[in-house]
C-alpha cells in the first residue's frame, strides 16, 4: 500500500515540478530577453528626445519602442533584424552607431588612419632630425672631455628622471 | 615662404567655417523620408469614438491618406479645418479614404478634441504606439499618402496649411486619383 | 534704475574696449608710452564697468524685478536665493555677461601682474584681450541684451529651468568659463609674442601658471557637469557624448597637449611653432564651443534658444579670431627656426610628440564626430546620429593609447634613452602589467575593455611607483634620512615634475572608476508596488512607501525604498519625481547610497496611481571618477604653488 502510494504520488510530484521548472525557465528567459533588449535599446536613438537612447529616455515613445524590441526578441528575431526594422522606418538617424558603409567609413576608420599616418609622419620627421643633428654634431667642435661629461651626467641623473 | 601645412590649415578652417555657415540655415527639425516607395504597413485599431475595429486591409486599391495627430498637439489644431475641407472635397470619390491616427494620447482627450472640433472621417487609436512606430513617426502632425498599390508615395511633416496643403491636394492627391504620373518629389 | 546703470556701464565698456584695442598699438607705433598706459586703464576700468553690470543684474534677481525680461525668463519669486543668483547664468544672455566678466577679471589681473616684467608684450596683449572683449560686449549690447526691460511687467517670473536648480549647476558654468576664458591668456601672450617678434621661451614661462589654472578650472567644470548629469538626468551615467559636452572636451584635449609640449620648448627650445599652433587651436576651440552652444547649429540637451542672426554674428566673430590667430602664425612663423637637436627617436622629446599626436587625434575624432551630422546634412540632406556605441568602439582605443603614453613619457630619458634606461624603467612595469592582465583574466574579467584597462593601468601605476621609490631611495641614501622624509624632500625639490605625476595618478584613479562603473554596472528597470522587492546583485530593494512631499517651489511623489544586504538594513532611499508647477516641468531626483566607493542608485522615472517604475543601478567604484578628478586638481595646485627648485 505504502509503496503504491509513493509510486502513485511520484508522478504527481514530477507533474508539479514541470510548471515550476517552466516558470523558473520563464524568468530566466525573461531576464535574458531584458538584457538583450537593453543592449539593443542602448544603440537606438530616442527620436523625439535630445541625445538620449531609447533605453535612457523616459518618453512614452521610447517605452513603446522598448516593448516592441521585447516582442520581437520573443518572436525570435535577432538584434540586427530588430535594428533593421527601426532603420527602415526612421532612417539612419535612429542608429547611435552609424552603419559601416559609404562616407561613414570616415568616422570608423578616420581616427585610426590619422593615428597611423601621423605616427608614420612623426617617425620619419624624427628620424630626419636625428640624422641632421648627428651631421651638425660632426661639424661642431669636439665636446668636453670624458671626465667632465660623466660628472655632468651623474649630476643630471640625480636631479631628475 | 608658403609651406604645405599653411595650405592644409587654411583649407580645414575654411571648410569648418563654411560648414557652420550652412548649419545656421539648416532646419534642425528637418526629417528624412525613408519610407517613401515602400509598401505601407497595415493599420488597424479601434475607432476613437465608436470603438469599432478598423483596418486598412479593407481599403485595398484605394488612395489612403493617413494623418497622425494628438489632442495635446497645438500645430494639429491649425491644420484641422484643412483636413475637414480635404475630406469634403475628395471624400465622395470612391477611390479615396482618409484616416486619422490618434498618437500618444488619452482616450477621453482625443474624443473631446473631435467633439469640439468636429470631424468627418474615422480616427484610429494607436494603442501601444505600434502604428506610429511602424510608420517611423517623429512627431505630430505627420501625413502620409498611400497609392492604389499600397505603396507610400508622399510624406509631410508639420501642419498642412498654406502651400503644404495646396501641394498635397493639387500635386499629390489629384494626380494620384486620376492615375496620372506623380512628381517624385 | 540700477538696471539702467548696469546697462550704461556695459555700453561704456564696449566703447572702452575699442580704446583698449587701438590705443596700445598706436602708442607703440608712435612711441607714446602714455597711449599704451591708456590701454591698461581701459582694461582695468572695463573690469569695474562689467562688474557694475553684473551687480545690477544680481540686484534685479534678488529683488525679483520682473520688468527685466531676462530675470522674468530665468527666475521666480519662489526660487531659493541661492538659485536666484545662479539664474544669472541660467540663460544665454546672462551667461554671456558672466563670460565677459571673467575675461575682464583675468585681463586686469594679468595686466597688473606682468606690466613691469613684460613691457614689450603687454601692449599687444591688451589689444588682443580687448578685441575678444569687444566681440562679446558687442554681442551683449546689440544682440543678447540681458538688461532689456519688458512691458507689461509680468506678475512673476517663468522660473529657472528646474534641471539647473542644483548646487552643481550653480558652480559648473562659472568653472567652465574660468577654463575657456582662462585659455585666452596664453593665447593673448602667444599673439603678443608673434606680433612683437619675441618668440623665445618667455611667453611660455610667463603663462605656465595661467594655463595650469585654466586647465584645472576646465577639468573641474567638466567633471562637475558630469556629476550633475549623473544624478540629475536620472539615467545613471555621467558622460553622454552630447555635442555640448564634446565642445568642452575638445579644448581640454588640445590644452592638455599644449601643457605637455611646452615643457619641451622650455627644456630644449624645440617645437616653437608647434606650441604657438596648439594654444591658438585651444583657444579657438573654446570659442567654437561657445559658438556651438549658442548658435543652434547642433541640437543638444544644453542648447540655448536658437537664433540664426545671433549665430551669424558669432560666426563672423569666430572667423575674425581664427583668421587673426592662424593668419599671424602663418605670416610670422616663417622667421622662426627651432633649433633641432635630437639625438635619438627613443627619447623624451619624441615621447612628448607622440603624446601630442594621440591628444590631437583624440580631439580631431571628437571634432569630426560632433560635426559629422552637420556634414551629412549638408552633403546628402540626410540625418545621422553618432552616439556612445560609436565612441566606445573608436574613442576608447585611442584613449587607452594615451594612457599607455602616460606610463612611458615621464620615465623615459631626455635626448637619448639608453637600453639601460629603458630596461631599468620599463622592464618591471611590463612584467607587472602582464601579470596583472593574467590575474584579471583569472578573476573573471573577460571584456576587452576591462583587460586592456588592467594592462595599461597596472603598467602606468608601476612606472609611477618605481619612479617614486627610486627617487626616495636616492635621497635617503644621499642625505641619510628616512624614506618618508626623503620622498618629501625629493618631491618638493622637483615639485613641477612630481606635481605632474600626482595629476597622472588622478587620471589613473579616474580611469579605474570609469572602467569599473561601465563594465560592472548592474541595471534594472522594473515596475514596483508597495511591498515588492527587487534584487540588484547582493542588494535587496524593498518598496515600503510612496507619499507626497513638497519644497519651496516644487511638489513631489517620494518613494521609500529599504536597501538590504542579506538581512541587514543598510538605508532607506527616497527617490523623487518632482514637479515644478511654475514651468510645469517634471524632474527625476535620484537617491544614492554610497558603499565601497560605489553607489546604489535609484530613480523613479514614472509614477502611476498604484505602481511606479523603478530604475535601479549598482555603479561600482563610480566615486573614483570624481576622487580622481580631485587628485588631478590637487596635482595642478601643487604645481602652481611650487617652491623654487633648490640645488640638492
Amino acid at each position: 500500500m505504502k509503496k503504491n502510494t509513493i509510486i502513485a504520488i511520484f508522478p504527481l510530484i514530477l507533474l508539479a515540478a514541470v510548471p515550476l521548472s517552466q516558470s523558473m525557465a520563464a524568468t530566466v528567459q525573461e531576464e535574458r530577453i531584458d538584457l538583450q533588449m537593453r543592449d539593443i535599446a542602448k544603440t537606438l536613438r530616442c527620436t523625439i528626445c535630445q541625445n538620449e537612447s531609447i533605453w535612457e529616455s523616459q518618453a512614452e515613445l521610447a517605452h513603446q519602442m522598448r516593448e516592441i524590441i521585447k516582442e520581437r526578441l520573443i518572436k525570435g528575431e535577432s538584434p540586427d533584424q530588430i535594428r533593421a526594422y527601426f532603420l527602415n522606418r526612421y532612417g539612419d538617424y535612429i542608429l547611435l552607431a552609424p552603419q559601416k558603409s559609404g562616407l561613414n567609413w570616415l568616422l570608423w576608420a578616420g581616427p585610426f588612419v590619422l593615428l597611423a599616418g601621423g605616427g608614420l609622419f612623426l617617425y620619419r620627421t624624427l628620424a630626419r632630425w636625428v640624422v641632421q643633428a648627428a651631421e651638425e654634431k660632426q661639424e661642431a667642435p669636439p665636446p668636453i672631455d670624458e671626465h667632465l661629461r660623466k660628472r655632468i651626467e651623474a649630476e643630471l641623473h640625480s636631479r631628475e628622471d | 615662404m608658403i609651406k604645405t601645412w599653411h595650405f592644409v590649415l587654411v583649407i580645414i578652417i575654411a571648410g569648418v567655417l563654411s560648414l557652420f555657415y550652412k548649419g545656421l540655415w539648416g532646419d534642425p527639425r528637418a526629417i528624412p523620408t525613408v519610407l517613401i516607395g515602400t509598401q505601407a504597413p497595415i493599420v488597424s485599431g479601434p475607432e476613437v469614438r465608436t470603438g469599432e475595429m478598423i483596418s486598412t486591409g479593407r481599403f485595398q486599391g484605394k488612395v489612403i491618406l493617413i494623418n497622425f495627430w494628438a489632442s495635446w498637439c497645438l500645430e494639429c489644431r491649425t491644420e484641422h479645418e484643412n483636413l475637414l475641407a480635404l475630406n469634403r472635397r475628395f471624400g465622395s470619390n470612391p477611390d479615396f479614404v482618409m484616416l486619422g491616427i490618434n498618437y500618444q494620447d488619452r482616450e477621453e482627450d482625443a474624443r473631446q478634441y473631435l467633439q469640439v472640433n468636429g470631424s468627418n472621417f474615422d480616427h484610429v487609436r494607436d494603442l501601444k504606439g505600434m502604428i506610429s512606430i511602424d510608420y517611423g513617426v517623429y512627431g505630430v502632425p505627420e501625413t502620409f499618402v498611400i497609392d492604389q498599390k499600397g505603396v507610400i508615395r508622399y510624406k509631410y511633416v508639420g501642419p498642412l496649411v498654406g502651400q503644404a496643403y495646396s501641394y498635397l491636394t493639387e500635386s499629390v492627391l489629384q494626380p494620384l486619383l486620376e492615375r496620372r504620373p506623380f512628381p517624385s518629389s | 534704475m540700477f538696471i539702467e546703470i548696469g546697462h550704461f556701464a556695459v555700453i561704456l565698456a564696449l566703447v572702452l574696449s575699442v580704446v583698449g584695442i587701438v590705443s596700445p598699438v598706436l602708442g607703440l607705433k608712435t612711441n607714446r608710452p602714455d597711449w599704451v598706459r591708456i590701454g591698461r586703464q581701459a582694461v582695468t576700468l572695463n573690469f569695474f564697468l562689467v562688474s557694475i553690470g553684473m551687480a545690477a543684474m544680481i540686484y534685479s534677481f534678488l529683488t525679483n524685478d520682473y520688468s527685466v525680461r531676462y530675470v522674468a525668463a530665468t527666475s521666480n519669486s519662489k526660487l531659493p536665493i541661492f538659485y536666484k543668483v545662479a539664474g544669472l547664468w541660467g540663460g544665454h544672455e546672462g551667461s554671456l555677461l558672466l563670460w565677459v566678466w571673467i575675461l575682464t577679471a583675468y585681463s586686469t589681473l594679468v595686466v597688473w601682474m606682468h606690466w613691469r616684467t613684460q613691457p614689450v608684450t603687454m601692449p599687444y596683449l591688451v589689444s588682443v584681450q580687448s578685441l575678444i572683449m569687444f566681440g562679446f560686449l558687442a554681442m551683449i549690447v546689440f544682440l543678447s541684451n540681458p538688461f532689456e526691460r519688458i512691458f507689461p511687467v509680468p506678475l512673476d517670473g517663468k522660473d529657472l529651468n528646474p534641471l539647473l536648480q542644483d548646487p552643481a549647476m550653480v558652480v559648473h558654468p562659472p568653472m567652465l568659463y574660468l577654463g575657456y576664458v582662462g585659455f585666452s591668456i596664453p593665447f593673448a601672450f602667444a599673439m603678443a609674442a608673434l606680433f612683437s617678434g619675441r618668440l623665445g621661451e618667455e611667453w611660455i614661462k610667463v603663462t605656465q601658471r595661467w594655463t595650469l589654472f585654466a586647465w584645472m578650472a576646465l577639468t573641474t567644470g567638466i567633471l562637475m557637469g558630469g556629476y550633475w548629469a549623473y544624478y540629475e538626468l536620472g539615467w545613471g551615467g555621467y558622460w553622454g557624448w552630447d555635442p555640448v559636452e564634446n565642445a568642452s572636451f575638445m579644448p581640454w584635449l588640445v590644452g592638455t597637449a599644449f601643457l605637455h609640449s611646452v615643457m619641451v620648448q622650455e627644456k630644449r627650445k624645440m617645437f616653437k611653432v608647434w606650441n604657438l599652433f596648439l594654444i591658438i587651436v585651444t583657444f579657438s576651440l573654446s570659442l567654437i564651443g561657445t559658438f556651438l552652444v549658442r548658435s543652434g547649429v547642433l541640437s543638444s540637451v544644453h542648447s540655448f534658444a536658437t537664433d540664426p542672426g545671433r549665430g551669424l554674428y558669432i560666426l563672423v566673430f569666430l572667423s575674425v579670431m581664427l583668421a587673426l590667430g592662424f593668419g599671424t602664425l602663418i605670416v610670422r612663423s616663417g622667421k622662426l627656426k627651432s633649433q633641432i637637436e635630437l639625438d635619438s627617436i627613443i627619447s623624451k622629446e619624441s615621447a612628448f610628440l607622440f603624446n601630442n599626436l594621440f591628444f590631437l587625434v583624440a580631439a580631431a575624432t571628437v571634432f569630426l564626430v560632433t560635426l559629422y551630422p552637420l556634414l551629412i546634412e549638408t552633403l546628402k540632406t540626410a540625418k545621422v546620429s553618432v552616439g556612445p556605441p560609436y565612441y566606445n568602439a573608436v574613442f576608447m582605443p585611442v584613449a587607452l593609447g594615451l594612457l599607455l603614453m602616460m606610463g612611458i613619457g615621464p620615465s623615459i630619458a631626455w635626448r637619448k634613452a639608453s637600453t639601460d634606461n629603458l630596461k631599468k624603467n620599463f622592464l618591471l612595469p611590463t612584467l607587472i602589467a602582464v601579470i596583472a592582465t593574467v590575474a584579471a583574466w583569472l578573476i573573471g574579467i573577460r571584456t576587452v575593455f576591462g583587460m586592456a584597462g588592467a594592462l595599461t593601468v597596472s603598467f602606468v601605476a608601476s612606472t609611477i611607483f618605481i619612479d617614486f621609490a627610486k627617487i626616495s631611495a636616492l635621497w635617503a641614501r644621499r642625505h641619510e634620512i628616512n624614506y618618508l622624509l626623503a620622498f618629501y624632500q625629493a618631491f618638493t625639490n622637483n615639485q613641477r615634475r612630481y606635481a605632474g605625476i600626482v595629476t597622472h595618478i588622478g587620471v589613473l584613479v579616474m580611469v579605474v572608476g570609469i572602467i569599473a562603473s561601465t563594465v560592472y554596472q548592474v541595471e534594472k528597470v522594473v515596475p514596483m508596488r508597495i511591498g515588492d522587492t527587487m534584487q540588484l546583485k547582493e542588494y535587496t530593494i524593498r518598496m515600503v512607501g510612496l507619499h507626497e512631499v513638497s519644497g519651496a517651489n516644487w511638489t513631489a511623489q517620494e518613494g521609500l525604498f529599504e536597501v538590504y544586504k542579506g538581512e541587514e538594513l543598510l538605508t532607506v532611499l527616497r527617490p523623487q519625481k518632482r514637479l515644478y508647477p511654475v514651468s510645469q516641468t517634471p524632474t527625476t531626483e535620484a537617491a544614492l547610497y554610497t558603499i565601497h566607493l560605489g553607489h546604489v542608485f535609484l530613480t523613479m522615472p514614472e509614477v502611476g496611481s498604484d505602481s511606479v517604475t523603478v530604475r535601479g543601478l549598482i555603479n561600482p567604484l563610480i566615486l573614483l571618477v570624481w576622487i580622481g578628478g580631485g587628485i588631478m586638481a590637487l596635482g595642478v595646485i601643487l604645481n602652481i604653488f611650487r617652491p623654487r627648485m633648490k640645488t640638492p
Side-chain angles (χ1 to χ4, degrees):
Chain A
M1 183 62 192
K2 257 186 191 170
K3 242 185 199 170
N4 285 351
T5 343
I6 292 168
I7 292 167
I9 287 171
F10 193 67
L12 283 180
I13 295 171
L14 273 182
L15 270 177
V18 170
L20 195 70
S21 68
Q22 261 178 352
S23 79
M24 264 169 68
T27 49
V28 170
Q29 172 80 359
E30 244 172 64
E31 278 200 2
R32 204 175 53 90
I33 295 266
D34 273 350
L35 278 178
Q36 273 186 315
M37 183 271 277
R38 187 182 89 165
D39 287 344
I40 299 170
K42 280 191 169 176
T43 62
L44 297 172
R45 184 193 199 108
C46 167
T47 48
I48 55 166
C49 318
Q50 290 195 321
N51 219 42
E52 273 184 310
S53 75
I54 61 175
W55 170 250
E56 288 138 15
S57 169
Q58 292 156 19
E60 186 61 25
L61 178 70
H63 176 76
Q64 290 165 342
M65 284 181 167
R66 290 196 291 266
E67 288 303 312
I68 287 183
I69 298 175
K70 257 195 206 171
E71 273 171 34
R72 290 185 172 253
L73 279 171
I74 292 166
K75 265 195 241 160
E77 284 187 26
S78 74
D80 280 335
Q81 279 173 315
I82 295 170
R83 269 189 283 267
Y85 167 82
F86 285 101
L87 177 66
N88 289 336
R89 277 153 185 82
Y90 287 92
D92 284 315
Y93 188 63
I94 201 165
L95 297 181
L96 281 172
Q99 299 186 71
K100 289 188 180 112
S101 64
L103 205 56
N104 291 351
W105 277 109
L106 195 66
L107 284 183
W108 287 102
F112 300 112
V113 171
L114 264 178
L115 210 54
L120 195 69
F121 173 77
L122 210 57
Y123 181 82
R124 286 190 160 184
T125 316
L126 288 169
R128 213 180 54 224
W129 285 352
V130 171
V131 173
Q132 268 175 18
E135 278 168 2
E136 273 170 33
K137 205 169 260 178
Q138 284 203 331
E139 290 159 20
I144 30 182
D145 70 294
E146 194 61 5
H147 179 69
L148 193 61
R149 194 184 64 84
K150 273 200 174 143
R151 247 189 68 192
I152 291 173
E153 263 187 6
E155 197 77 357
L156 275 172
H157 221 73
S158 66
R159 281 191 54 165
E160 31 164 352
D161 29 309
Chain B
M1 190 173 59
I2 292 169
K3 294 179 188 161
T4 335
W5 69 265
H6 295 166
F7 270 119
V8 176
L9 191 64
V10 170
I11 288 170
I12 290 176
I13 292 171
V16 168
L17 287 176
S18 53
L19 195 61
F20 283 158
Y21 180 77
K22 280 271 191 182
L24 280 180
W25 314 110
D27 179 8
R29 288 182 43 197
I31 280 159
T33 46
V34 276
L35 278 171
I36 291 190
T38 63
Q39 202 68 30
I42 300 268
V43 171
S44 58
E47 213 281 337
V48 171
R49 290 158 297 184
T50 62
E52 174 199 352
M53 282 303 283
I54 292 181
S55 169
T56 50
R58 282 200 324 226
F59 305 136
Q60 260 173 13
K62 293 186 182 190
V63 171
I64 311 171
L65 183 139
I66 293 181
N67 172 265
F68 288 86
W69 64 275
S71 64
W72 45 262
C73 151
L74 292 175
E75 284 188 314
C76 299
R77 284 164 206 247
T78 62
E79 67 169 2
H80 193 80
E81 274 309 313
N82 280 347
L83 289 175
L84 300 183
L86 195 88
N87 201 43
R88 277 196 296 275
R89 173 164 162 198
F90 295 102
S92 52
N93 189 328
D95 274 352
F96 178 81
V97 68
M98 202 169 152
L99 211 54
I101 314 262
N102 180 233
Y103 169 87
Q104 313 278 7
D105 214 343
R106 278 204 305 234
E107 196 170 354
E108 316 88 85
D109 294 347
R111 226 175 256 165
Q112 206 195 355
Y113 176 90
L114 292 179
Q115 214 153 45
V116 172
N117 298 299
S119 182
N120 51 12
F121 55 99
D122 284 344
H123 298 269
V124 174
R125 271 183 61 69
D126 186 7
L127 285 174
K128 283 155 75 188
M130 284 294 284
I131 303 172
S132 46
I133 293 171
D134 249 355
Y135 277 81
V137 169
Y138 276 81
V140 274
E142 261 184 46
T143 305
F144 292 79
V145 176
I146 301 163
D147 72 5
Q148 288 93 337
K149 293 191 186 112
V151 175
I152 298 178
R153 297 295 295 274
Y154 180 73
K155 171 184 177 181
Y156 185 75
V157 180
L160 291 166
V161 288
Q163 278 221 313
Y165 177 72
S166 47
Y167 183 85
L168 174 74
T169 52
E170 308 312 319
S171 308
V172 180
L173 288 175
Q174 200 67 46
L176 267 182
L177 286 166
E178 290 166 11
R179 293 174 189 267
R180 273 193 281 138
F182 166 72
S184 56
S185 67
Chain C
M1 190 54 209
F2 270 111
I3 257 320
E4 275 69 34
I5 294 174
H7 191 181
F8 182 68
V10 169
I11 294 174
L12 212 59
L14 175 66
V15 178
L16 270 182
S17 66
V18 179
V19 176
I21 299 169
V22 181
S23 82
V25 179
L26 272 183
L28 264 189
K29 291 268 178 275
T30 56
N31 223 344
R32 282 184 195 156
D34 295 0
W35 287 40
V36 176
R37 223 169 299 130
I38 288 175
R40 176 180 66 173
Q41 318 304 17
V43 165
T44 317
L45 211 54
N46 262 357
F47 169 63
F48 287 107
L49 288 171
V50 179
S51 297
I52 292 173
M54 288 280 284
M57 281 310 289
I58 290 174
Y59 178 80
S60 312
F61 269 101
L62 291 178
T63 54
N64 298 327
D65 183 357
Y66 301 120
S67 68
V68 180
R69 183 191 293 275
Y70 184 72
V71 178
T74 57
S75 186
N76 181 269
S77 55
K78 290 201 186 69
L79 194 66
I81 285 202
F82 192 44
Y83 296 127
K84 276 188 184 157
V85 179
L88 180 56
W89 46 90
H92 163 71
E93 291 88 351
S95 63
L96 215 54
L97 187 64
L98 177 69
W99 209 104
V100 179
W101 182 70
I102 291 176
L103 181 67
T104 55
Y106 265 130
S107 309
T108 308
L109 268 174
V110 170
V111 197
W112 285 96
M113 282 171 71
H114 298 297
W115 193 262
R116 269 166 208 286
T117 51
Q118 304 287 315
V120 185
T121 45
M122 272 302 126
Y124 296 106
L125 179 120
V126 169
S127 276
V128 173
Q129 292 288 71
S130 299
L131 177 66
I132 306 170
M133 256 176 240
F134 172 80
F136 279 88
L137 283 170
M139 181 155 178
I140 289 176
V141 170
F142 296 114
L143 290 164
S144 313
N145 191 345
F147 302 103
E148 203 185 338
R149 301 257 190 192
I150 34 168
F151 191 83
V153 177
L155 288 175
D156 207 338
K158 285 190 216 146
D159 208 0
L160 179 63
N161 181 350
L163 285 176
L164 304 183
Q165 295 182 28
D166 181 278
M169 260 299 141
V170 173
V171 198
H172 164 74
M175 270 293 175
L176 211 57
Y177 293 172
L178 274 177
Y180 277 165
V181 185
F183 283 127
S184 76
I185 295 170
F187 169 77
F189 266 103
M191 296 306 293
L194 278 168
F195 282 127
S196 65
R198 290 202 150 196
L199 288 156
E201 281 64 57
E202 211 174 352
W203 74 273
I204 282 177
K205 285 188 181 144
V206 174
T207 55
Q208 204 193 81
R209 286 184 168 84
W210 291 107
T211 317
L212 280 169
F213 180 77
W215 186 86
M216 182 180 75
L218 187 61
T219 310
T220 322
I222 293 174
L223 285 170
M224 265 176 185
Y227 196 60
W228 167 79
Y230 175 56
Y231 66 77
E232 188 67 35
L233 295 183
W235 48 273
Y238 40 84
W239 189 259
W241 297 104
D242 178 275
V244 172
E245 289 170 340
N246 291 349
S248 62
F249 193 37
M250 288 186 282
W252 187 89
L253 285 168
V254 185
T256 314
F258 173 72
L259 276 180
H260 285 95
S261 84
V262 287
M263 287 189 253
V264 186
Q265 188 174 345
E266 273 181 60
K267 274 235 154 74
R268 301 292 321 277
K269 306 193 178 359
M270 289 161 75
F271 311 154
K272 285 179 181 162
V273 182
W274 181 239
N275 286 327
L276 290 163
F277 172 75
L278 282 183
I279 192 58
I280 296 173
V281 173
T282 305
F283 185 62
S284 305
L285 285 172
S286 297
L287 286 178
I288 289 176
T290 317
F291 171 71
L292 288 180
V293 183
R294 290 160 200 280
S295 61
V297 162
L298 300 171
S299 65
S300 132
V301 248
H302 305 61
S303 309
F304 294 100
T306 63
D307 173 355
R310 230 177 240 172
L312 194 64
Y313 172 79
I314 306 181
L315 186 57
V316 170
F317 176 60
L318 184 67
S319 310
V320 170
M321 291 308 293
L322 288 179
L324 181 76
F326 290 107
T328 319
L329 180 70
I330 287 175
V331 173
R332 290 287 188 143
S333 65
K335 293 183 182 163
L336 259 182
K337 255 215 158 142
S338 291
Q339 303 152 256
I340 290 163
E341 264 185 63
L342 195 67
D343 296 338
S344 165
I345 294 185
I346 303 171
S347 63
K348 188 169 291 212
E349 289 88 331
S350 49
F352 271 120
L353 274 188
F354 277 99
N355 144 308
N356 275 209
L357 173 72
F358 272 89
F359 269 116
L360 285 192
V361 168
T365 306
V366 179
F367 192 74
L368 177 70
V369 176
T370 312
L371 295 183
Y372 190 72
L374 195 59
L375 183 74
I376 288 297
E377 230 164 289
T378 316
L379 288 182
K380 306 205 292 193
T381 54
K383 255 188 146 172
V384 288
S385 310
V386 194
Y390 165 83
Y391 286 95
N392 290 341
V394 174
F395 190 83
M396 286 310 156
V398 180
L400 283 172
L402 254 178
L403 208 60
L404 209 58
M405 291 299 302
M406 203 173 88
I408 298 168
S411 297
I412 201 166
W414 287 100
R415 286 173 181 272
K416 182 174 188 164
S418 59
T419 353
D420 195 36
N421 165 282
L422 293 180
K423 237 193 246 165
K424 260 200 314 217
N425 289 330
F426 300 115
L427 191 61
L428 196 56
T430 312
L431 272 175
I432 293 174
V434 171
I435 293 169
T437 315
V438 173
W441 169 267
L442 289 179
I443 62 165
I445 297 176
R446 295 290 151 87
T447 58
V448 182
F449 194 29
M451 286 184 37
L455 183 84
T456 41
V457 169
S458 59
F459 176 76
V460 181
S462 47
T463 57
I464 292 175
F465 183 76
I466 288 170
D467 190 345
F468 279 163
K470 262 205 227 155
I471 191 77
S472 317
L474 184 77
W475 278 65
R477 219 173 26 213
R478 183 171 305 163
H479 299 276
E480 290 172 350
I481 44 178
N482 70 43
Y483 274 74
L484 221 56
L485 192 62
F487 174 70
Y488 173 75
Q489 287 191 355
F491 190 98
T492 47
N493 181 57
N494 193 356
Q495 191 152 325
R496 173 123 192 249
R497 173 182 158 79
Y498 291 108
I501 303 273
V502 169
T503 301
H504 283 183
I505 293 174
V507 175
L508 278 188
V509 170
M510 180 187 284
V511 167
V512 172
I514 293 174
I515 293 179
S517 62
T518 348
V519 179
Y520 297 101
Q521 186 180 57
V522 176
E523 184 177 20
K524 268 188 188 166
V525 182
V526 283
M528 286 176 94
R529 288 159 195 268
I530 292 171
D532 285 356
T533 59
M534 156 166 75
Q535 197 69 32
L536 277 173
K537 254 184 173 168
E538 67 263 44
Y539 305 99
T540 311
I541 287 142
R542 174 190 297 278
M543 181 167 177
V544 290
L546 181 68
H547 58 217
E548 302 237 341
V549 288
S550 62
N553 55 347
W554 49 265
T555 57
Q557 300 274 95
E558 186 177 81
L560 291 178
F561 296 87
E562 292 175 342
V563 180
Y564 293 90
K565 186 177 184 179
E567 292 298 301
E568 183 199 354
L569 176 65
L570 295 174
T571 186
V572 179
L573 286 178
R574 299 156 184 271
Q576 296 174 343
K577 179 88 183 170
R578 279 191 195 168
L579 183 75
Y580 288 78
V582 179
S583 55
Q584 280 295 312
T585 316
T587 67
T588 28
E589 301 291 314
L592 302 173
Y593 175 66
T594 308
I595 185 163
H596 308 316
L597 295 173
H599 278 149
V600 177
F601 179 106
L602 285 188
T603 58
M604 297 191 304
E606 279 157 58
V607 179
S609 48
D610 60 339
S611 79
V612 295
T613 307
V614 179
R615 181 188 290 264
L617 292 110
I618 306 288
N619 286 324
L621 299 183
I622 197 161
L623 277 178
L624 288 184
V625 173
W626 294 284
I627 293 174
I631 299 175
M632 285 164 78
L634 174 75
V636 179
I637 291 169
L638 286 173
N639 204 336
I640 293 177
F641 300 103
R642 59 179 186 257
R644 275 180 187 283
M645 208 157 142
K646 313 182 279 274
T647 5

